[in-house]
Amino acid sequence: ARWNEWKADPMSFVFEEDGFAPFLDLWERAGGEWDQLRRDAADGMAGGMAGGVGAPTLVVAHGAFNRALMLQMLDMPMVGWRDDKERFIFDNCECFECEWLPGEPHVERWRRRYPVESAWSTRDFEKQRATGTYLAAGPGGDAYRGI
């Protein structure tokens, strides 16, 4: 029964026994991982890596984690996890690539690499697409946008 509740609305699912909210935990863990990836890249650049570029990093995770991670990397709202799932759904261990500028808080562009390769997509494109679709349909205000 709980699995069905989680699948129906993961963003609002909470365990009654202890108040644990799995989606919020997932979102926070993905945000923490993104912070760590940026710190590691900055450390690599400070360490004099060739060309001033940080070392490539491989993240292997479940599809739900990758979706939350990608949305945060793109500076997209939390609600995108639910309302834009077709765009950002990932299979477990699916590979994607992203690029960001040193010192910047968000990626500039991303693409899928495996099992199916896609064209690059920019953060600006993703934000414009969201504004024209699911964000346009939702209630106004910063809380909805996840800002």
Side-chain angles (χ1 to χ4, degrees), residues 13-73:
F13 180 81
V14 176
F15 284 99
E16 295 172 8
E17 298 84 358
D18 59 6
F20 178 70
F23 176 77
L24 292 177
D25 180 68
L26 169 73
W27 190 260
E28 290 171 3
R29 285 184 295 119
E33 185 63 29
W34 174 228
D35 290 343
Q36 186 63 49
L37 288 168
R38 288 193 339 261
R39 280 193 301 273
D40 289 350
D43 289 347
M45 288 176 18
M49 298 200 110
V53 176
T57 302
L58 174 65
V59 177
V60 179
H62 287 276
F65 184 88
N66 283 340
R67 185 173 5 165
L69 177 64
M70 177 56 66
L71 286 165
Q72 292 194 49
M73 292 171 111

Side-chain angles (χ1 to χ4, degrees), residues 87-120:
R87 175 72 174 167
F88 294 109
I89 198 160
F90 290 95
D91 291 334
N92 291 340
C93 301
E94 183 172 340
C95 294
F96 64 86
E97 179 179 16
C98 60
E99 292 181 350
W100 72 93
L101 300 173
E104 291 296 317
H106 304 290
V107 300
E108 288 300 312
R109 64 184 193 154
W110 77 284
R111 66 179 171 176
R112 294 175 188 271
R113 298 293 288 175
Y114 182 84
V116 177
E117 195 164 317
S118 71
W120 285 102

